Amino acid sequence: RSLLPQKRPDACLGGAETLDQLALEAVMAKLADSTRRVYASGWKQWVLYNSGSRAPLFLDGEERSARQEDEQRLIRFVVFLHQVMKRSVGGIRQRLSAIRYAHISSGFPDPLVGRPRLWAAIAGLQRWEGAPTRKLPVTPSMLRWLIQHLDAGGFSAIIKGALLTGWFFMMRASELLPQVDGTDPLNRALRPADVAFYREGKSCQIG
């Protein structure tokens, strides 16, 4: 089952199914496009994980035993992601958020509320991971070294321009580089059409 509505329906059709689809889209519109893609991927993993057992995707048990089983299923899922799929605790939290939002957008209660054993398991996995390794920033000397060792002209000039743009404007990778599958929204990554060149205060063409 997809977490994302595929197409905005025509509200003029007025049927209950159309209105329900619009209602779902309104709920999903709260999320940024990038978050929607992350949540869609997380929900897909939950669906695939449960496909073998044919267990229900939505955790809505009301009796004590049913709630315990729902929590145990979530714990098994996070342990599977961490120990088998080698996902980080941060990535596991994203997948739990995806499951939570899928429940809420479909009219089910929040499946993560009242799950002390689940959060204890998450804390335990975090202790197993230890302190995260911090990434070191690129220094000016590193940037100078890269520029000096790139060939002059041609494609290297484009690489130099990208490096300098990303460094001086402190851009995130998703803002500077496109996704390999081409799913970037047009207002996210930097495009050639977004760049203008000026010489002596006047617009000019390069190349």
Side-chain angles (χ1 to χ4, degrees):
R1 179 173 179 174
S2 175
L3 182 63
L4 301 178
Q6 300 300 312
K7 182 180 179 182
R8 174 172 294 176
D10 187 352
C12 295
L13 297 179
E17 184 177 351
T18 300
L19 295 175
D20 287 344
Q21 188 173 349
L22 279 171
L24 174 59
E25 184 173 353
V27 174
M28 297 302 300
K30 172 185 176 183
L31 304 176
D33 290 338
S34 57
T35 304
R36 293 176 70 173
R37 289 196 297 271
V38 170
Y39 280 10
S41 175
W43 178 249
K44 182 179 180 181
Q45 289 190 351
W46 173 249
V47 172
L48 291 174
Y49 173 78
N50 288 283
S51 61
S53 63
R54 296 184 178 179
L57 298 178
F58 294 100
L59 309 173
D60 59 346
E62 296 182 359
E63 300 296 330
R64 182 171 181 270
S65 60
R67 287 187 55 79
Q68 286 180 331
E69 176 58 25
D70 287 347
E71 184 174 34
Q72 190 61 34
R73 286 178 59 198
L74 287 171
I75 293 173
R76 292 192 198 106
F77 181 58
V78 301
V79 171
F80 170 79
L81 290 174
H82 192 270
Q83 296 296 298
V84 179
M85 302 301 294
K86 304 303 179 183
R87 299 293 185 260
S88 68
V89 171
I92 291 171
R93 289 180 184 274
Q94 283 187 335
R95 287 157 179 81
L96 288 176
S97 295
I99 295 172
R100 173 185 178 273
Y101 208 81
H103 277 67
I104 292 174
S105 63
S106 298
F108 291 88
D110 188 337
L112 306 184
V113 171
R115 311 289 192 191
R117 294 179 63 246
L118 171 64
W119 297 115
I122 293 292
L125 296 178
Q126 185 70 72
R127 285 181 63 88
W128 286 355
E129 280 191 6
T133 302
R134 299 296 181 184
K135 296 180 180 179
L136 298 177
V138 175
T139 63
S141 60
M142 292 178 183
L143 185 63
R144 282 193 293 268
W145 187 91
L146 285 169
I147 298 301
Q148 291 171 359
H149 285 77
L150 284 171
D151 297 331
F155 187 70
S156 294
I158 299 176
I159 299 298
K160 289 179 182 179
L163 289 171
L164 292 171
T165 301
W167 197 86
F168 280 104
F169 289 94
M170 297 182 288
M171 301 178 71
R172 299 176 181 177
S174 60
E175 295 170 333
L176 182 64
L177 303 172
Q179 297 286 339
V180 294
D181 58 3
T183 58
D184 304 86
L186 294 179
N187 61 347
R188 181 64 174 175
L190 185 67
R191 304 168 300 165
D194 300 324
V195 180
F197 296 92
Y198 292 86
R199 178 178 298 168
E200 297 179 356
K202 297 182 179 180
S203 177
C204 62
Q205 299 293 327
I206 302 297

